[in-house]
């Protein structure tokens, strides 16, 4: 029979603070510290919960609670048990509904019935509507999840649909990217990417700097990938500026990745490329998500800072990157390609003469005409985009992607338009069911200064 004190502490530990009215107001004090460690934040969170419970539920003394827990803590069988202790092992899924201050956009609920493996035009429009509704002042942050991420290869963000005329779906995807980017200026938008992201929808994922992944995350942008061949120019600006600003990514890395015939980017590579905010183990992903969402319930202007500190606490090492071991080769062979000192044909010739196992394997795309065309277009596109501001780059990417979908392959025809129309004008040219009066279409996407990379990593600056 448990004592009254033990029953009190059981009730305290089972209490749902995420749904407790007004508890989120205390979160700013919890995360207002330089001690961003699991122990430091954990103790502050526990104190805040005890104070709230004592003030609003029933009397509870925090110091007595801690003393009781120390005395009654179960003794480990082994002093190193904490290294493999399964405490906190993930549940089936995160309960996102109880975080009323966070707008949750569930990709699984946006997909068409019977078309769950593709992102159709109607699904993108539903995604866009959900993003617009997130501007409501009752939401402090936005979380993009996929509740159907399960199985050995869970799909987080499926491929774009490929109708005979891809113009409208490409424009819709661009509208969504713009809306998510603008939304991220108003409040933090975080993607919980616990699964596969298709190459064609990578630009949607990169609309925010706050991306949390697990070991289930991966994306293949290889020129031999079928989806990458259909939509090869997605997120061209992001790739072109991968090594810009204060980034530690080596110049030429984007060219190395986008021309590699076999490389699959997983969380280790994603974090090494500085594209992710954090990595959470799949077995603890749902519980980690709930901790981040609780922090995202912190009122403005502290929301973004609290969210990122919570993410830092929940994150663990993603592992070594497969790209890092090739830094010398990237610097020697691919940096000149990025700088315009050599062409892709010259790189191919150089690698063929090198006659090394890795170089021969790397050049597999040359034997496939379509894959070779993808690599040529990407290299040429990144060179052009590096000289453009963000809005111009998106306009060029959209026009080139539409032209590619209609059969144009020559880089000079894809990127040779010196007088490309404004992005807003391109997006207004629609015959679909998209609302042409959308605010995102009426104004140009704000341009980025030379510190754009820095801004994307920290929008508060």
């Amino acid at each position: 029979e448990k004592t009254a004190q033990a029953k009190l502490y059981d009730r305290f530990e089972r209490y749902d603070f995420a749904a407790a009215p007004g508890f989120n107001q205390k979160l700013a004090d919890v995360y207002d510290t330089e001690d961003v460690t699991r122990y430091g934040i954990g103790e502050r969170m526990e104190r805040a919960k005890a104070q709230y419970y004592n003030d609003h539920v029933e009397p509870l003394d925090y110091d007595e609670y801690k003393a009781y827990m120390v005395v009654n803590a179960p003794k480990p069988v082994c002093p190193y048990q904490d290294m493999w202790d399964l405490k906190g092992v993930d549940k089936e899924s995160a309960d996102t509904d109880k975080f009323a201050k966070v707008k949750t956009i569930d990709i699984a609920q946006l997909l068409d019935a019977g078309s769950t493996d593709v992102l159709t035009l109607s699904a993108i429009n539903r995604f866009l509507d959900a993003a617009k509704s997130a501007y409501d002042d009752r939401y402090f942050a936005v979380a993009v999840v996929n509740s159907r991420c399960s199985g050995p290869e869970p799909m987080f963000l499926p491929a774009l649909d490929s109708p005979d005329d891809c113009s409208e779906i490409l424009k819709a995807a661009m509208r969504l990217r713009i809306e998510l980017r603008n939304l991220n200026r108003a409040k933090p938008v975080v993607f919980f990417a616990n699964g596969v992201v298709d190459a064609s929808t990578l630009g949607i994922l990169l609309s925010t700097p706050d991306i949390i992944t697990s070991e289930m995350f991966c994306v293949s942008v290889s020129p031999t990938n079928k989806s990458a061949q259909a939509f090869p120019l997605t997120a061209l600006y992001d790739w072109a500026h991968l090594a810009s600003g204060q980034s530690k990514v080596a110049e030429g890395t984007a060219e190395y990745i986008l021309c590699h015939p076999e490389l699959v980017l997983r969380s280790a590579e994603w974090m090494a490329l500085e594209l992710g905010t954090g990595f959470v183990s799949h077995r603890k992903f749902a519980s980690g998500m709930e901790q981040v969402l609780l922090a995202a319930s912190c009122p403005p202007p502290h929301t973004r800072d609290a969210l990122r500190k919570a993410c830092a606490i929940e994150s663990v090492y993603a592992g070594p990157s497969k790209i890092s071991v090739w830094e010398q080769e990237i610097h020697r062979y691919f940096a000149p390609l990025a700088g315009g000192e050599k062409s892709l044909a010259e790189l191919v010739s150089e690698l063929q003469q090198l006659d090394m196992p890795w170089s021969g394997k790397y050049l597999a795309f040359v034997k496939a005409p379509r894959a070779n065309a993808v690599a040529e277009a990407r290299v040429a596109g990144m060179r052009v985009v590096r000289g453009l501001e963000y809005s111009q780059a998106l306009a060029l990417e959209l026009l080139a992607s539409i032209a590619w979908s209609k059969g144009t392959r020559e880089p000079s025809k894809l990127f040779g338009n010196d007088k490309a129309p404004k992005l807003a004008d391109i997006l207004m040219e629609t015959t679909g069911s998209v609302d042409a009066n959308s605010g995102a279409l009426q104004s140009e996407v704000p341009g980025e200064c030379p510190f754009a990379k820095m801004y994307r990593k920290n929008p508060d600056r």
Side-chain angles (χ1 to χ4, degrees):
E1 181 71 23
K2 288 188 176 181
T3 64
Q5 189 179 33
K7 291 179 180 178
L8 167 64
Y9 297 149
D10 283 347
R11 290 194 298 272
F12 168 63
E13 292 181 345
R14 290 197 303 266
Y15 189 76
D16 188 0
F17 288 93
F23 177 72
N24 65 305
Q25 300 294 328
K26 293 182 175 294
L27 295 176
D29 294 332
V30 172
Y31 290 98
D32 185 19
T33 176
E34 297 300 319
D35 184 13
V36 187
T37 62
R38 185 178 296 275
Y39 175 79
I41 295 294
E43 184 181 28
R44 294 171 70 89
M45 181 69 77
E46 200 171 55
R47 282 186 179 277
K49 288 180 176 180
Q51 181 183 350
Y52 180 93
Y53 193 85
N54 179 70
D55 294 343
H56 297 89
V57 184
E58 58 182 320
L60 183 141
D61 185 281
Y62 177 72
D63 292 331
E64 291 180 2
Y65 165 73
K66 288 297 292 183
Y68 176 89
M69 297 305 293
V70 169
V71 172
N72 293 276
K75 301 298 185 289
V77 177
C78 169
Y80 303 103
Q81 181 176 336
D82 63 300
M83 295 179 67
W84 63 80
D85 192 354
L86 297 182
K87 182 180 180 181
V89 168
D90 207 9
K91 39 191 176 179
E92 287 295 324
S93 61
D95 184 4
T96 57
D97 292 337
K98 64 183 179 181
F99 300 97
K101 296 299 182 181
V102 181
K103 169 68 175 180
T104 300
I105 300 176
D106 187 352
I107 295 172
Q109 296 179 3
L110 304 174
L111 302 177
D112 295 349
S115 301
T116 56
D117 58 341
V118 293
L119 205 59
T120 62
L121 180 60
S122 56
I124 293 175
N125 288 335
R126 285 191 286 271
F127 201 154
L128 181 61
D129 290 340
K132 290 176 182 177
S133 68
Y135 284 99
D136 193 310
D137 289 340
R138 60 181 165 162
Y139 301 124
F140 298 158
V142 183
V144 182
V145 304
N146 190 328
S147 60
R148 293 182 191 158
C149 263
S150 60
E153 293 185 0
M155 176 60 70
F156 175 75
L157 198 54
L160 285 181
D161 195 10
S162 301
D164 293 336
D165 185 353
C166 293
S167 302
E168 295 309 318
I169 198 164
L170 286 167
K171 291 176 184 178
M174 186 63 74
R175 289 187 188 92
L176 177 58
R177 289 166 59 183
I178 295 169
E179 196 67 59
L180 289 172
R181 178 180 169 82
N182 289 335
L183 177 60
N184 189 58
R185 290 182 169 184
K187 58 193 66 178
V189 179
V190 56
F191 276 76
F192 291 92
N194 188 26
V196 179
V197 174
D198 190 82
S200 62
T201 48
L202 185 59
I204 297 173
L205 181 70
L206 290 172
S207 299
T208 174
D210 293 310
I211 303 168
I212 300 174
T213 66
S214 76
E215 59 268 38
M216 308 305 290
F217 167 83
C218 72
V219 57
S220 171
V221 293
S222 164
T224 60
N225 177 284
K226 182 179 179 180
S227 185
Q229 290 181 355
F231 302 99
L233 307 176
T234 302
L236 204 56
Y237 186 91
D238 296 280
W239 286 119
H241 292 272
L242 189 65
S244 64
Q246 296 183 337
S247 171
K248 296 179 182 179
V249 179
E251 185 180 16
T253 302
E255 281 74 8
Y256 171 80
I257 293 171
L258 294 181
C259 295
H260 199 295
E262 296 180 355
L263 180 64
V264 176
L265 298 178
R266 301 189 183 276
S267 288
E269 291 74 46
W270 196 254
M271 295 300 293
L273 294 173
E274 302 177 5
L275 296 174
T277 311
F279 169 80
V280 179
S281 168
H282 177 67
R283 71 188 181 99
K284 294 186 176 182
F285 200 79
S287 56
M289 183 190 299
E290 289 192 356
Q291 291 302 312
V292 174
L293 293 179
L294 178 61
S297 302
C298 180
H302 312 286
T303 314
R304 200 181 302 270
D305 181 57
L307 185 153
R308 289 183 175 172
K309 285 180 177 177
C311 178
I313 294 166
E314 296 300 319
S315 295
V316 295
Y317 177 53
S321 167
K322 291 182 291 187
I323 298 174
S324 302
V325 298
W326 297 102
E327 282 188 358
Q328 289 186 351
E329 288 77 8
I330 289 173
H331 175 74
R332 180 173 179 179
Y333 298 105
F334 295 89
L337 183 63
E341 291 123 36
K342 71 168 68 166
S343 66
L344 184 61
E346 290 172 329
L347 172 66
V348 168
S349 176
E350 192 174 3
L351 293 182
Q352 285 173 335
Q353 293 176 14
L354 190 60
D355 194 25
M356 296 285 287
W358 75 268
S359 62
K361 193 174 182 180
Y362 189 91
L363 293 174
F365 72 87
V366 178
K367 300 175 183 178
R370 191 174 179 86
N372 193 48
V374 169
E376 288 275 8
R378 286 172 164 176
V379 171
M382 283 191 288
R383 285 181 181 172
V384 175
V385 162
R386 287 189 178 106
L388 302 177
E389 62 93 25
Y390 189 68
S391 178
Q392 294 174 321
L394 290 188
L396 185 62
E397 176 191 320
L398 180 55
L399 287 174
S401 296
I402 293 173
W404 178 277
S405 70
K406 295 180 178 179
T408 302
R409 297 292 179 265
E410 299 84 350
S412 59
K413 294 182 179 179
L414 290 170
F415 306 105
N417 190 352
D418 296 331
K419 296 182 179 180
K422 291 184 177 181
L423 181 60
D425 295 335
I426 303 172
L427 294 176
M428 288 292 286
E429 297 172 0
T430 176
T431 56
S433 59
V434 181
D435 178 11
N437 294 316
S438 168
L441 310 187
Q442 297 294 343
S443 60
E444 201 65 24
V445 180
E448 291 186 330
C449 67
F451 302 102
K453 181 84 171 181
M454 194 183 304
Y455 167 81
R456 289 197 299 278
K457 293 298 174 188
N458 184 3
D460 290 335
R461 298 187 66 158

